[in-house]
């Protein structure tokens, strides 16, 4: 499990250590770790001694880290140059002295032969929009290693307001910064490597979590020897309509691929025939009903009266039995606040899975009805997406899965998860239907498991599984959503073999 803290939280954690006069020691620890990662990059490319590493160096402590790292690299036979990159061209005093003492140089331009360029312009002290230094040219093929945070990325929110220096690797200090996992920040950060500098005892609870393989394995564990189909979980699905029959196929196939006891589908005749052709193991019926341990409602449901009837039937059943419900796609625009409240009052977990457009529409419709100032909420969405998703989740008292390049999962009163496994290849019709099936499956399975992880973690594991399946599918070339179920099985087979 990856734990991330905002840049602000990390700065607060550093404060007592700075006051105790440990700033230099912290900086040297950070710089040493940075130098080790740069050495690893150099080794990957060829001989270390004789190679060139350049650092773009700002005037603050981020620049100080980069200068100290250059001084350590210089002692390994690396040709090291610092390129002042702030308007004032000022450099951190001690770092500057350390570089010169080690035999490094200060120059005006990044040498064209630099194998690695360290971005040490701005770190957690960045405020507002960043402008690239005038005339900056990075050598083609050089590996860009960001020091703590790529310059231009807000370490709290991941927002990129102005320009940015995208990194291949970000070596971050003390704690993974939340901004490296969110939106444009995650995109700019590349691979993230953490260097411990001893902040552990001073850091509070993480601001964000991201599940990894152990959580995926726990949420999607293979069946126990004495399991039977009902103990493995039964997912009920109200999905598909004559207009959108395929969505039901995707939900059912993705759920089956995730491993559970049974999928039960409530849909019109034409949809049932299509689903049974693709997955004859599905129990297909025309009405919502029968034994299930969780329900998913919405993919391809349409928005006519019969869609609303199917949603209402799911709400009644789930409220009666206290079952978890995943509301996706059409259900997000059909569901009423009264229905959500009925489910919550009955103790049913409600998971909503909006993409960005659906998220805004939810805030405007149900959020506003529940007392949210939707205009103000929307104006804060870009600046602090996690805060906005949390506010809406708490207002509606539901688990929100805000889908996108970084999918944010918020359980009211619980931890926030963010998963970034999936790539833009997932931006193709029907992948969200598959995700609804995977989330439905994990909840159906979990409902039967006394030792189940918290709902937020189960849902985050489902999002990770879906993202990894997308990545695996993309490795074979462009794909449509119907390629995902087989990849879900492969990802789970690999996870189980570890
Ligand atoms: N405080 C410490 O002892 C430690 C700090 N560390 C490093 O210190 C960094 C934070 O250092 P600082 O607080 O000095 O901050 P930065 O080095 O991130 O930036 C500070 C400077 O950049 C300027 N600046 C801010 N936003 C700007 C913008 N948009 N455009 C142009 N200039 C801008 C500020 O006016 C200030 O002069 C961390 O990211 C980390 O790399 C690490 O060495 C660990 C220990
Ligand atoms: N640019 C992107 N990068 C990563 N994942 C993406 C991107 N665009 C979309 N996705 C993912 O693809 C899925 C799309 O869901 P959705 O928009 O509901 O699709 P549909 O309704 O067509 O099934 C979500 O899981 C989302 O996180």
């Amino acid at each position: 499990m990856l734990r991330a803290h905002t840049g602000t939280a990390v700065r607060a954690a550093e404060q007592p250590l700075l006051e105790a006069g440990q700033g230099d020691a912290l900086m040297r620890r950070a710089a040493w770790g940075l130098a080790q990662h740069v050495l690893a990059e150099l080794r990957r490319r060829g001989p270390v001694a004789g190679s060139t590493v350049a650092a773009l160096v700002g005037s603050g402590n981020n620049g100080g880290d980069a200068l100290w790292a250059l001084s350590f690299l210089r002692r390994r036979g690396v040709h090291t140059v610092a390129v002042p990159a702030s308007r004032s061209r000022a450099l951190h005093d001690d770092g500057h002295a350390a570089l010169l003492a080690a035999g490094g140089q200060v120059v005006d331009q990044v040498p064209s032969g630099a194998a690695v360029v360290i971005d040490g312009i701005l770190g957690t002290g960045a405020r507002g929009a960043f402008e690239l230094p005038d005339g900056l040219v990075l050598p083609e093929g050089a590996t860009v290693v960001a020091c703590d945070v790529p310059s231009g990325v807000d370490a709290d929110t991941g927002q990129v307001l102005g320009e940015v220096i995208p990194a291949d690797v970000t070596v971050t200090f003390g704690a993974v910064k939340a901004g490296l996992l969110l939106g444009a920040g995650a995109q700019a950060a590349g691979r993230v490597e953490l260097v411990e500098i001893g902040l552990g005892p001073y850091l509070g609870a993480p601001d964000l979590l991201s599940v990894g393989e152990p959580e995926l394995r726990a949420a999607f564990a293979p069946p126990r020897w004495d399991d039977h189909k009902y103990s493995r979980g039964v997912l009920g699905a109200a999905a598909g309509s004559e207009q959108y029959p395929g969505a039901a196929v995707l939900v059912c196939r993705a759920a089956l691929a995730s491993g559970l006891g049974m999928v039960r589908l409530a849909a019109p005749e034409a949809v049932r025939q299509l689903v049974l052709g693709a997955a004859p193991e599905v129990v297909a019926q025309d009405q919502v009903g029968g034994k299930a341990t969780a329900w998913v409602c919405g993919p391809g449901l349409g928005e006519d009266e019969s869609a609303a009837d199917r949603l209402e039937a799911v709400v009644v059943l789930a409220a009666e039995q206290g079952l978890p419900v995943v509301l996706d796609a059409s259900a997000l625009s059909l569901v009423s606040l009264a229905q959500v409240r009925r489910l919550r009052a009955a103790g049913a977990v409600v998971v909503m899975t909006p993409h960005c457009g659906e998220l805004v529409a939810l805030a405007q419709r149900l959020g506003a009805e529940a007392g949210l100032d939707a205009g103000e909420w929307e104006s804060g969405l870009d600046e602090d997406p996690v805060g906005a998703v949390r506010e809406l989740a708490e207002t509606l008292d539901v688990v929100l899965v805000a889908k996108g390049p970084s999918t944010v999962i918020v359980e009211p009163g619980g931890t926030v998860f963010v998963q970034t496994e999936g790539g833009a290849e997932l931006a193709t019709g029907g992948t969200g239907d598959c995700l609804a099936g995977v989330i439905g499956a994990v909840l159906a399975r979990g409902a039967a498991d006394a030792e189940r992880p918290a709902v937020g973690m189960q849902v985050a594991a489902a999002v990770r599984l879906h993202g990894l399946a997308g990545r695996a599918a993309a490795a074979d070339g462009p794909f449509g959503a119907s390629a995902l179920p087989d990849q879900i099985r492969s990802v789970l087979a690999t996870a189980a073999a570890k």
Side-chain angles (χ1 to χ4, degrees):
M1 178 111 67
L2 200 146
R3 294 167 172 74
H5 294 75
T6 60
T8 305
V10 175
R11 289 172 79 85
E14 281 170 352
Q15 206 46 42
L17 292 164
L18 297 183
E19 282 162 15
Q22 296 205 25
D24 287 351
L26 286 182
M27 184 175 283
R28 256 169 282 178
R29 251 175 256 161
W32 179 260
L34 173 60
Q36 299 314 305
H37 284 287
V38 172
L39 281 172
E41 291 303 320
L42 289 173
R43 278 191 211 106
R44 211 167 287 160
R45 300 172 65 108
V48 167
S51 61
T52 299
V53 173
L56 301 163
V57 182
S59 59
N61 289 325
N62 194 248
D65 294 339
L67 289 164
W68 275 104
L70 287 183
S71 78
F72 298 140
L73 291 165
R74 178 69 203 123
R75 296 184 197 285
R76 303 295 291 264
V78 177
H79 178 50
T80 51
V81 298
V83 182
S86 69
R87 283 253 152 77
S88 65
R89 298 181 57 80
L91 295 177
H92 183 274
D93 285 341
D94 289 353
H96 187 191
L99 174 67
L100 297 182
Q105 293 170 293
V106 177
V107 302
D108 284 336
Q109 286 291 338
V110 176
S112 59
V116 171
V117 177
I118 298 172
D119 161 18
I121 306 181
L122 289 177
T124 57
R127 298 289 169 267
F130 166 67
E131 270 180 51
L132 290 172
D134 288 342
L136 174 67
V137 181
L138 296 181
E140 208 166 306
T143 302
V144 176
V145 178
C147 172
D148 204 21
V149 181
S151 299
V153 170
D154 184 304
D156 286 357
T157 65
Q159 206 180 15
V160 171
L161 276 179
E163 291 176 303
V164 65
I165 301 184
D168 298 296
V169 186
T170 295
V171 180
T172 197
F173 311 127
V176 173
K177 311 300 177 301
L180 303 177
L181 301 183
L182 293 167
Q187 181 62 27
R191 195 177 84 238
V192 176
E193 299 282 357
L194 172 64
V195 171
E196 293 291 357
I197 57 169
L199 297 186
Y202 305 93
L203 285 166
D207 295 296
L208 293 180
L209 297 177
S210 189
V211 300
E213 283 303 282
E215 293 78 27
L216 177 74
R217 276 197 294 273
F220 291 93
R224 289 182 307 266
W225 70 274
D226 58 347
D227 262 326
H228 51 81
K229 65 183 180 239
Y230 292 117
S231 67
R232 289 187 71 194
V234 177
L235 178 65
S241 56
E242 285 183 11
Q243 198 181 354
Y244 309 111
V249 177
L250 295 170
V251 170
C252 293
R253 285 192 55 225
L256 289 164
S258 307
L260 79 177
M262 192 194 289
V263 174
R264 180 186 291 287
L265 172 74
E269 168 70 13
V271 179
R272 299 202 301 272
Q273 289 315 317
L274 190 72
V275 168
L276 289 173
E281 57 273 52
V282 170
V283 175
Q285 51 200 48
D286 63 349
Q287 298 292 325
V288 169
K291 218 188 245 186
T293 48
W295 278 85
V296 55
C297 179
L301 197 70
E303 292 187 6
D304 61 11
E305 207 174 303
S306 69
D309 290 347
R310 255 192 295 168
L311 168 63
E312 171 64 11
V314 169
V315 170
V316 168
L317 192 72
E320 259 169 33
Q321 300 178 12
L323 300 176
V325 182
V326 182
L327 300 175
D328 181 51
S330 310
L332 296 174
S333 35
L334 286 173
V335 72
S336 68
L337 190 60
Q339 285 174 317
V340 173
R341 288 186 169 158
R342 186 159 18 133
L343 286 165
R344 295 299 295 129
V349 167
V350 177
V351 178
M352 293 186 173
T353 56
H355 57 57
C356 188
E358 289 166 336
L359 182 72
V360 172
L362 259 185
Q364 287 169 345
R365 198 173 65 83
L366 296 193
E369 191 184 341
L372 183 81
D373 180 336
E376 195 182 313
W377 178 89
E378 201 177 339
S379 62
L381 184 57
D382 283 342
E383 201 178 312
D384 181 12
V386 171
V389 176
R390 182 185 312 188
E391 191 182 0
L392 184 57
E394 275 163 12
T395 304
L396 299 178
D397 193 25
V398 300
V399 179
L400 270 185
V401 180
K403 298 183 293 192
S406 303
T407 293
V408 175
I409 300 120
V410 181
E411 191 175 359
T415 327
V416 179
F417 290 85
V418 61
Q419 302 299 138
T420 56
E421 292 82 2
E425 310 79 28
L426 280 175
T428 178
T431 56
D433 305 334
C434 292
L435 179 63
V438 182
I439 296 175
V442 84
L443 294 177
R445 297 168 52 121
D449 180 357
E451 287 163 31
R452 62 188 174 271
V455 170
M457 193 171 320
Q458 293 178 53
V459 174
V463 172
R464 174 178 173 83
L465 172 57
H466 178 257
L468 290 177
R471 208 198 286 170
D476 298 333
F479 65 90
S482 57
L484 287 181
D486 284 346
Q487 298 295 347
I488 288 169
R489 296 185 59 227
S490 303
V491 170
L492 289 179
T494 307
K498 276 185 192 154

